[in-house]
Amino acid sequence: MVWIILSGFFVAFASPFCVRILGQIGAYLLSIVAFGICYYFISFTAEVSSGSVLYYSYEWFPNMSVRFAFFLDPLSLIFAILISGIGGFIILYAASYLKNHPHLGRFLGFILAFMASMLGLVLANDIITLFVFWEATSITSFLLIGFDSHRAEARRAAIQALVVTGGGGLALLAGLILLSLSTGSLLLSDMLFFNGRSLDNDLYVLILLLILGGAFTKSAQIPFHFWLPNAMEAPTPVSAYLHSATMVKAGVYLLMRLNPVLGQQPLWTEILSIVGALTLVVGSILAMASRDLKRMLAYTTMASLGLLVLLIGMGSQEALLAAMVYLVAHSFFKGAFFMLAGGVDHSTGTRDIYAVSGLYRVMPLTAVTAALAALSMCGLPPFLGFVAKETMYSIFGSASLGGFHIFIMLMLVIGNALMLVIAASIAIMPFYGRSYKTPKIPHESDFFMLCGPVILALLGIVSVGYLHNFDTYFIVPALQVIAPFTISKNLHLWGGFNLALLLSIVTILFGVFIYLYKDNLHRFLVSLFKFLRWGPDKGFDQFVNAITRLSFIWRKYMQSGHHSHYLMLTFVFFAFALWAPIYDDAYDVFKEMLAVKAEITLQNLLFIAIIVISVLSVIIVLMAKTRLFAIVSLGIQGFSVAVIFMIAGAPDLSFTQFMVDTLAIVVLTLVMTRLAMQMVDYRSMQERLLGIIVSLFCGVGIMVHLNQILSKPFNAYISDYFNAYSFIEAHGRNIVNVIIVDFRAIDTLGEISVVMGAAIACLALVKMRNKKTKLASHTS
């Protein structure tokens, strides 16, 4: 299984060379890979539908229990067949649509890489594996949406899609990790047996919101819907593949997959149902306000995704059954519609639905195919869309109709009626009419551009002829995976005269009524949206601009170019790192420090005397009039530490401190005497006061931490280790030298490198000063 998934990536890398060597034939041959993968998954239909689950697992990070794990069950099987099957048609379509394009091979490589990413996503068993492929779909879709990189609109749409879906992916990762901690497993197959009611309520809410953040951004739910219509800036094959049948359904797949874990809870039902209903209606209304074929289809895709989310949220047998059927039906008719819209654009040079008419005369096969897709999208018999609509309306026949159910019923009727209007408009307005006036002379699309939409449109009606087999081998097994209860419902084309049929008739009549006045409604909505200029799309631009301005302000403050400013920032963060862990109990720490009573001994008196000398040397440094005097006074600090080491019984360490401090004073003195340094402190009183406060926080913070360390029992493990092994391992009796040269050799090398870098910088400053001095004397 894993090699089937990875094969898409391998072929993606090879596709540019394949097209370059074999030309157009090579582009068509790449579809064999997708169709071969589709056939591979279809071959498991009987086995998987009977209840078998295929597993693959490879230990990825054993210490963290992370596995490169996949599994094939009825739900992932449906998605895998749709992804690979439609992917094959898209490759054929793209090979003709972008014929003679200089980067056709690269484009097909992106398509194949996206297909492999989607397959990995729907087949992933481990949550880390799922997240990796989830983000891979965002990256590959970014490459596909921004394929026409010379256009600013395409670049903006690609960045927008990446930011929105990538941000949602990070929220998803956090939610999945919390869910794994709650269920005790990283594997989705293990989580499916964990009831969401067993989760802690507060943790459940957090997990649900984080996971919904990932699912809603990927599946373009309100208020994250704006990236989907903007992604129509991509070439039509991208729109047909990513934004109708695959990528946008990743969020729907995730909700279906986690329904047994998080579903059947009031919060799950309310959020998904309300957000899905609003997305359904708003998407349909936005489609009515558009006149671009692809944008109209994009908005209806958004509406269909809202419909799926609504049905998953309802959670009943009828709702989940309708969601599974509509998932497949939507992939059929929307994939066909997008490719047909691209064919119209390709042959006429325009996608404006009000600019073309009468294309039936020159594009008869396209017109008939569009009619078949539209009938399924309208939910008319005997198409699969009708079966899905009848099933979703049957929700209300078995439920007591309260206020919430009535609200959902109204949203479904309004949304389905508006989508009927859009489907009828796309199937009728461009193809039927008196004449056509288009930028290009229209012509019928070629075989490879039509075979995909024709087959997908026919599947919308052929599948109903085999409805029993379709139900037995695909829908019911998948439903048993996502439903946490026993399944007793089946698909049927005719359910008799009932409430579902009545609602279907009302939907059709309402849709026909709106269609008769669609032009008036279109003009009204266009005027309304011109008045309501603000929305999530512009909000995204404002957010990006705000982040950009903030980054400039941050850079200006953090990278000012002044060395003193960098030192101040360094010590501010250092003080924060010291006090952040102990700020809660700082008072108790000081109280304990003041309560300590030290014994009066000769050693303690010596320590006190050295501390007094150190404090006096610091005061002298602050009051020094010259840099040289300040450097020499500062050296007293190092010598005082060396004396403390001597008194404490570490003469070798004391000698090392004396040598290092002496060398530092000599080097600083030599450098400072060669540089023209200002003798007056140029800082303002506020800057000096800030420096005093920060230095006090740093000094007192270090003192508090040292006191806490010294107050704990001494652990002699490391000391005993070095005592025991310094001579045996390094053949040295001076333990300090052995530690520095042998046990910490790499660390010492790093310190030497730092000192070396500082010395080179000092040398450069001296050289620069000398050159300026010579140049000044020469000029004078």
Side-chain angles (χ1 to χ4, degrees), residues 50 107 129 134 250 342 358 388 461 467 518 579 645 660 689 725 767:
S50 64
F107 179 83
T129 306
W134 184 280
I461 188 171
L467 193 59
K518 68 180 184 307
W579 285 99
F645 289 154
V660 171
L689 182 61
Y725 292 100
K767 292 284 186 181

Side-chain angles (χ1 to χ4, degrees), residues 170-297:
L170 295 178
L172 172 65
L173 176 63
L176 290 176
I177 291 175
L178 289 176
L179 183 61
S180 69
L181 293 175
S182 301
T183 58
S185 176
L186 292 172
L187 298 179
L188 291 172
S189 56
D190 293 340
M191 294 181 186
L192 298 181
F193 299 100
F194 192 92
N195 193 327
R197 294 183 177 85
S198 304
L199 294 174
D200 178 75
N201 186 56
D202 294 335
L203 195 59
Y204 172 83
V205 173
L206 180 59
I207 292 172
L208 178 62
L209 294 178
L210 289 171
I211 290 178
L212 291 184
F216 285 178
T217 52
K218 205 75 162 183
S219 288
Q221 299 298 290
I222 284 179
F224 309 107
H225 63 281
F226 53 89
W227 71 266
L228 179 57
N230 290 335
M232 295 303 109
E233 297 294 340
T236 299
V238 177
S239 304
Y241 193 35
L242 275 67
H243 307 127
S244 64
T246 52
M247 176 184 169
V248 290
K249 288 195 174 75
V252 172
Y253 164 78
L254 183 70
L255 295 177
M256 287 182 171
R257 176 62 73 191
L258 295 180
N259 182 63
V261 187
L262 300 175
Q264 311 305 311
Q265 298 275 15
L267 190 61
W268 168 279
T269 301
E270 292 169 3
I271 294 178
L272 267 64
S273 300
I274 294 174
V275 172
L278 292 176
T279 305
L280 167 63
V281 174
V282 172
S284 302
I285 292 174
L286 290 172
M288 289 294 301
S290 302
R291 54 191 298 161
D292 182 285
L293 278 171
K294 283 178 62 176
R295 292 188 73 87
M296 293 172 69
L297 291 172

Side-chain angles (χ1 to χ4, degrees), residues 29 41 100 106 135 208 244 283 290 308 311 328 336 342 358 415 423 490 542 596 614 675 695:
L29 290 176
F41 286 114
N100 300 323
R106 185 176 68 180
E135 293 300 278
L208 178 62
S244 64
S290 302
L308 287 169
L311 294 173
V328 178
N490 293 97
Q542 296 299 321
V596 174
S614 299
L675 297 177
S695 62

Side-chain angles (χ1 to χ4, degrees), residues 81-132:
I81 292 174
L82 290 175
I83 291 166
S84 54
I86 296 178
F89 291 126
I90 292 296
I91 293 173
L92 289 176
Y93 179 86
S96 287
Y97 187 86
L98 298 174
K99 189 175 182 179
N100 300 323
H101 194 287
H103 302 300
L104 174 60
R106 185 176 68 180
F107 179 83
L108 295 179
F110 292 161
I111 289 286
L112 286 164
F114 174 80
M115 181 187 73
S117 301
M118 276 300 303
L119 287 174
L121 189 157
V122 300
L123 294 170
N125 191 9
D126 185 272
I127 63 168
I128 304 301
T129 306
L130 171 66
F131 172 74
V132 168

Side-chain angles (χ1 to χ4, degrees), residues 412-428:
L412 282 175
V413 170
I414 294 172
N416 285 325
L418 290 174
M419 283 202 286
L420 182 149
V421 176
I422 300 301
S425 299
I426 296 174
I428 295 174

